[in-house]
């Protein structure tokens, strides 16, 4: 224990990752009198999915991830989901800028760096898709500044490692947005948790595992049973509101809560491995996150990409991820996690998903059977001159995809995130994975709207929320001028690039048309 346990805090946050840190910070900003207790199983914050090497660090704004822009049956490209994710990241930028502005985060370069986001393809069919994708996206103000090229020389200027060693007759195409970012979510989590823990009434307890959740019907509170992993002692904490932000551990805790809204939910764990290069002579020649197209049947988190990473001041390259299967729900979890999550209510959804997603199963088995030579062959598609001796394996974090009950099909496998909450708004669990960390502010605001609607009034929290998030209540998808203003301001505060001027896109489009 970091200090004596507050036996009756207003809020309990389970898990000390980016989600709990973000929600806790929002709540304390909006209502300074709140008492908040955070319980984390591990010895520090941000050690699971939030840890820098456990994720790609992409400030996911749907700039480069082609899985957010599916092609319709008529050949056109649907960018609606991309736009949603794009402006959700704007909320994170505003939230972080607010904290930098008030001095809660001294230097944004401790967690965020400018890094162009690129989409890359190298066959005729996908070039046609990428061109249509560019036409649809660059026509919208949210993607002002997007560039497109099929010129090998131009691509070589953007990212030389991708071009060098490639056959001269191989067709290539790429898009680029220079206002993308690389984010160290582990560092950001530590900054947020440190700031939160320093506030009056806030406690963070490490090596403390929540082992049970019991609703007290008469008082509308939750009895949270917590075990101190050093002493073995079990503490009982009563809270008015509980947020389960425990990453892969959220599903078992949701099940323990017994709320009917969580009935039938299951989880499908996916593991991952990166290839990592720390050679400064190589990493200095690649400044981008270059995303390719997903293999058929693969989960979105397995889209191959060659990334610049800046972690702890060191510049590295990351390639992958190579997906796989493990029955663990957490990197530091148990091989029994999946089996212990099976309940009578979720057997049908689990079996239905297994039946309907054979291509995913086939893909994951293939990934598990890959040899080192197979992994390097995939790397060659993005870095033809890669030398195997420059790369080492880096184990990524675990992800648990949502399996939700469905009346028609029995069960559905979801690749996003979802909030599952009690009807009385006293408890909510965050399930799922990507784009998770990048949209933490959006998810926190969803929790506020779902569980604290009574406080979001003109005489309550609303004025302060609009100070933190100036665009709150306005659609950035529709309001072009506000989008430009918000992005210019947050780019300046966060010391990242801002390439959103209409003239930039006009110039780019004219070059393409020519």
């Amino acid at each position: 224990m970091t200090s004596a346990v507050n036996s009756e805090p207003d809020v309990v946050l389970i898990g000390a990752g980016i989600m709990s840190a973000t929600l806790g910070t929002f709540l304390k900003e909006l209502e300074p009198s709140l008492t908040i207790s955070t319980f984390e199983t591990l010895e520090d914050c941000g050690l699971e999915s939030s840890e820098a090497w456990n994720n790609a660090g992409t400030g996911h704004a749907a700039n480069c991830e082609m899985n957010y822009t599916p092609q319709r049956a008529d050949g056109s490209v649907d960018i609606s989901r991309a736009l949603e994710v794009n402006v959700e990241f704007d909320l994170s930028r505003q939230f972080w800028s607010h904290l930098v502005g008030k001095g809660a985060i001294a230097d944004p370069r401790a967690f965020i760096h400018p890094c162009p986001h690129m989409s890359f393809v190298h066959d005729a069919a996908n070039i046609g898709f990428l061109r249509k994708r560019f036409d649809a996206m660059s026509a919208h103000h949210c993607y002002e500044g997007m560039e497109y090229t099929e010129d090998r020389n131009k691509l070589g200027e953007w990212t030389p490692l991708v071009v060098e060693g490639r056959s001269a007759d191989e067709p290539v195409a790429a898009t680029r947005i220079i206002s993308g970012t690389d984010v160290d979510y582990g560092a950001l989590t530590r900054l947020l948790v440190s700031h939160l823990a320093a506030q009056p009434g806030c406690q963070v307890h490490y090596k403390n595992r929540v082992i049970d959740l019991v609703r007290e019907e008469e008082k509308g509170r939750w009895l949270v049973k917590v075990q101190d992993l050093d002493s073995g002692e079990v503490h009982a904490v009563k809270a008015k509101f509980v947020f389960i932000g425990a990453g892969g551990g959220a599903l078992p805790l949701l099940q323990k809560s017994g709320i009917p809204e969580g009935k039938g939910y299951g989880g499908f764990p996916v593991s991952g491995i990166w290839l990592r290069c720390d050679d400064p002579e190589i990493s200095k020649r690649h400044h981008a996150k270059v995303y390719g197209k997903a293999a058929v049947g693969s989960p979105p988190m397995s889209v191959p990409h060659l990334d610049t990473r800046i972690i702890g001041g060191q510049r590295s390259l990351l390639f992958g991820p190579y997906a796989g299967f493990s029955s663990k729900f957490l990197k530091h979890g148990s091989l029994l996690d999946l089996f212990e999550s099976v309940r009578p209510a979720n057997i049908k959804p689990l079996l239905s998903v297994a039946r309907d997603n054979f291509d995913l199963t086939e893909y994951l088995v293939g990934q598990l059977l890959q040899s080192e030579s197979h992994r390097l062959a995939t790397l060659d598609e993005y870095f033809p001159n890669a030398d195997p001796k420059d790369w080492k394996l880096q184990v990524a974090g675990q992800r648990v995809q949502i399996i939700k009950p469905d009346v028609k099909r029995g069960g559905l496998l979801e690749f996003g995130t979802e909030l599952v909450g009690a009807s009385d708004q006293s408890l909510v669990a965050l399930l799922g994975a990507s784009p998770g960390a990048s949209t933490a502010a959006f998810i926190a605001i969803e929790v506020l709207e779902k569980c604290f609607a009574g406080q979001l009034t003109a005489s309550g929290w609303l004025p302060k929320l609009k100070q933190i998030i100036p665009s709150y209540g306005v659609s950035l998808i529709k309001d072009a001028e506000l989008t430009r203003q918000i992005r210019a301001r947050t780019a300046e505060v966060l010391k990242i690039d801002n390439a959103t001027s209409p003239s930039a896109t006009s110039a780019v489009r004219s070059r393409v048309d020519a």
Side-chain angles (χ1 to χ4, degrees):
M1 287 288 181
T2 55
S3 60
V5 181
N6 180 352
S7 61
E8 295 192 18
D10 297 313
V11 174
V12 162
L13 305 174
I14 303 176
I18 186 65
M19 296 302 172
S20 290
T22 299
L23 177 61
T25 303
F26 261 107
L27 287 170
K28 198 63 177 176
E29 287 283 308
L30 296 171
E31 187 59 75
S33 65
L34 284 177
T35 54
I36 302 174
S37 292
T38 303
F39 296 100
E40 167 58 50
T41 300
L42 301 179
E43 64 274 12
D44 202 354
C45 60
L47 294 182
E48 276 285 349
S49 296
S50 305
E51 199 275 325
W53 291 114
N54 286 345
N55 57 71
T58 306
H60 283 292
N63 294 320
C64 50
E65 307 94 318
M66 287 180 271
N67 54 293
Y68 289 130
T69 52
Q71 195 161 14
R72 300 184 181 98
D74 64 1
S76 63
V77 175
D78 181 2
I79 69 168
S80 58
R81 177 56 181 150
L83 287 170
E84 291 173 359
V85 175
N86 185 260
V87 298
E88 286 170 10
F89 187 61
D90 281 304
L91 300 179
S92 289
R93 285 175 56 150
Q94 290 174 74
F95 173 59
W96 301 336
S97 295
H98 168 76
L99 295 175
V100 172
K102 67 176 287 184
I105 294 177
D107 185 356
R109 288 168 294 193
F111 73 93
I112 189 168
H113 295 87
C115 182
H117 287 185
M118 295 178 57
S119 302
F120 169 73
V121 294
H122 54 102
D123 63 81
N126 282 327
I127 287 175
F129 163 76
L130 190 64
R131 191 182 300 117
K132 289 181 179 179
R133 179 180 182 270
F134 168 76
D135 287 341
M137 296 178 81
S138 61
H140 196 280
H141 66 264
C142 282
Y143 290 102
E144 288 174 350
M146 178 178 272
E147 302 170 85
Y148 175 89
T149 190
E150 295 176 24
D151 185 296
R152 298 174 69 91
N153 292 328
K154 175 60 70 175
L155 183 58
E157 293 174 12
W158 291 354
T159 175
L161 300 187
V162 172
V163 174
E164 293 172 1
R166 193 172 295 277
S167 172
D169 59 358
E170 182 179 14
V172 293
T175 60
R176 182 177 75 155
I177 287 186
I178 67 168
S179 56
T181 56
D182 174 68
V183 184
D184 182 339
Y185 289 107
L188 176 59
T189 301
R190 290 188 290 275
L191 289 166
L192 294 178
V193 171
S194 177
H195 171 67
L196 186 62
Q199 306 305 305
C202 293
Q203 298 180 337
V204 181
H205 302 285
Y206 297 115
K207 300 183 75 173
N208 275 257
R209 184 194 304 275
V210 174
I211 57 175
D212 204 2
L213 293 162
V214 180
R215 190 202 295 261
E216 289 191 319
E217 296 290 351
E218 293 182 2
K219 296 183 179 180
R221 295 186 303 182
W222 285 90
L223 184 68
V224 184
K225 295 182 180 180
V226 186
Q227 183 177 37
D228 186 317
L229 297 182
D230 284 333
S231 68
E233 184 179 356
V234 175
H235 303 269
V237 173
K238 295 180 180 180
K240 299 173 185 175
F241 174 75
V242 176
F243 174 68
I244 307 175
L251 175 61
L253 289 169
L254 174 63
Q255 292 173 331
K256 286 180 182 294
S257 76
I259 63 172
E261 294 80 5
K263 186 177 181 180
Y265 276 84
F268 183 82
V270 178
S271 60
I273 297 174
W274 306 105
L275 289 177
R276 170 181 167 184
C277 173
D278 295 327
D279 187 329
E281 293 303 310
I282 298 174
S283 60
K284 74 180 183 182
R285 301 190 64 234
H286 182 84
H287 182 55
K289 290 181 180 289
V290 180
Y291 274 60
K293 212 119 179 262
V296 174
S298 66
M301 59 173 284
S302 300
V303 173
H305 43 99
L306 181 63
D307 291 357
T308 293
R309 295 305 319 270
I310 301 171
I311 299 173
Q314 177 180 320
R315 191 183 183 96
S316 302
L317 295 186
L318 204 62
F319 180 77
Y322 302 92
F325 174 80
S326 168
S327 56
K328 290 183 178 183
F329 276 5
L330 292 162
K331 192 172 181 178
H332 297 90
S334 165
L335 291 171
L336 298 176
D337 287 343
L338 174 59
F339 308 105
E340 291 178 345
S341 74
V342 177
R343 299 285 190 277
N346 66 16
I347 290 177
K348 184 177 180 180
L350 288 167
L351 292 177
S352 298
V353 165
R355 176 198 65 208
D356 296 339
N357 292 272
F358 181 76
D359 55 348
L360 173 60
T361 304
E362 188 176 39
Y363 169 79
L364 293 175
V365 170
Q367 290 278 291
L368 282 171
L369 296 176
Q370 276 194 337
S371 64
E372 183 178 355
S373 61
H374 285 121
R375 294 192 186 102
L376 291 169
T378 308
L379 172 61
D380 283 344
E381 291 186 42
Y382 296 84
F383 183 3
N385 285 343
D387 188 333
K389 68 178 175 55
D390 296 324
W391 297 80
K392 62 182 179 182
L393 291 180
Q394 174 75 46
V395 179
Q398 285 287 114
R399 298 290 186 273
V400 179
Q401 312 299 337
I402 306 164
I403 292 177
K404 61 188 298 183
D406 181 75
V407 175
K408 292 184 178 179
R409 298 174 61 180
L412 294 175
L413 181 64
E414 300 284 348
F415 290 107
T417 54
E418 183 169 342
L419 289 169
V420 182
S423 59
D424 65 356
Q425 295 85 47
S426 64
L427 176 145
V428 66
L430 177 65
L431 304 180
S434 185
S438 296
T439 58
F442 169 76
I443 293 169
I445 292 171
E446 275 195 306
V447 173
L448 296 177
E449 293 173 339
K450 187 181 185 74
C451 302
F452 297 91
Q455 287 91 326
L456 288 178
T457 64
S459 59
W461 294 356
L462 194 55
K464 181 63 176 179
L465 181 57
K466 288 186 176 180
Q467 287 181 24
I468 300 170
I469 309 292
S471 71
Y472 182 74
V474 180
S475 171
L476 293 182
I477 294 176
K478 296 179 180 178
D479 194 324
E481 186 53 37
L482 181 60
T483 301
R484 295 182 187 111
Q485 292 173 9
I486 291 292
R487 292 184 177 180
R489 185 184 66 83
T490 57
E492 181 179 6
V493 174
L494 297 174
K495 304 183 188 302
I496 55 179
D497 287 323
N498 181 47
T500 58
S501 68
S503 59
T505 297
S506 298
V508 171
R509 291 189 65 80
S510 66
R511 288 200 298 272
V512 173
D513 294 339

